[in-house]
Amino acid sequence: MEILITGGAFLGAILGRFFKVLILVPASAFVIALLLMNTGFAGHPILNTIIKIALLIASLEFGYITGLISTDISSAAQSFRDFWTRRRRTDASRPAHLR
């Protein structure tokens, strides 16, 4: 069960990093189909399957949000890095009318 939740969060983070929010609909449908197939083969009770589906979709959405945040953090870090590494003009390189 823990592997499913961790895998769902990891998949959600990848989807959040590269896709828009509408990708969660087919991803959730795919997850539900996989869990229902597993239930059909293993014969688990229906309540256990519903709990697994809810937890996996929640971890998928949590991972998606994490992926969105990581995209914002990396772009903010890049702009911060660009701000501190740009060259400052010295007085000699400034135009004469600005001195």
Side-chain angles (χ1 to χ4, degrees), residues 42-82:
H44 295 297
I46 192 72
L47 182 61
N48 191 11
T49 303
I50 292 172
I51 291 172
K52 280 184 181 180
I53 289 172
L55 285 174
L56 195 53
I57 289 176
S59 70
L60 188 69
E61 291 175 2
F62 178 74
Y64 185 84
I65 292 170
T66 305
L68 287 177
I69 291 171
S70 72
T71 303
D72 292 340
I73 288 174
S74 65
S75 65
Q78 180 66 33
S79 64
F80 184 73
R81 205 174 306 125
D82 290 343

Side-chain angles (χ1 to χ4, degrees), residues 17-61:
R17 183 105 172 134
F18 297 109
F19 296 102
K20 298 212 183 269
V21 72
L22 294 177
I23 195 68
L24 287 177
V25 174
S28 297
F30 180 70
V31 164
I32 290 172
L34 283 178
L35 283 176
L36 288 177
M37 277 193 330
N38 187 19
T39 301
F41 293 133
H44 295 297
I46 192 72
L47 182 61
N48 191 11
T49 303
I50 292 172
I51 291 172
K52 280 184 181 180
I53 289 172
L55 285 174
L56 195 53
I57 289 176
S59 70
L60 188 69
E61 291 175 2

Side-chain angles (χ1 to χ4, degrees), residues 76-88:
Q78 180 66 33
S79 64
F80 184 73
R81 205 174 306 125
D82 290 343
F83 175 74
W84 282 105
T85 58
R86 68 179 180 196
R87 293 185 169 208
R88 308 232 187 248

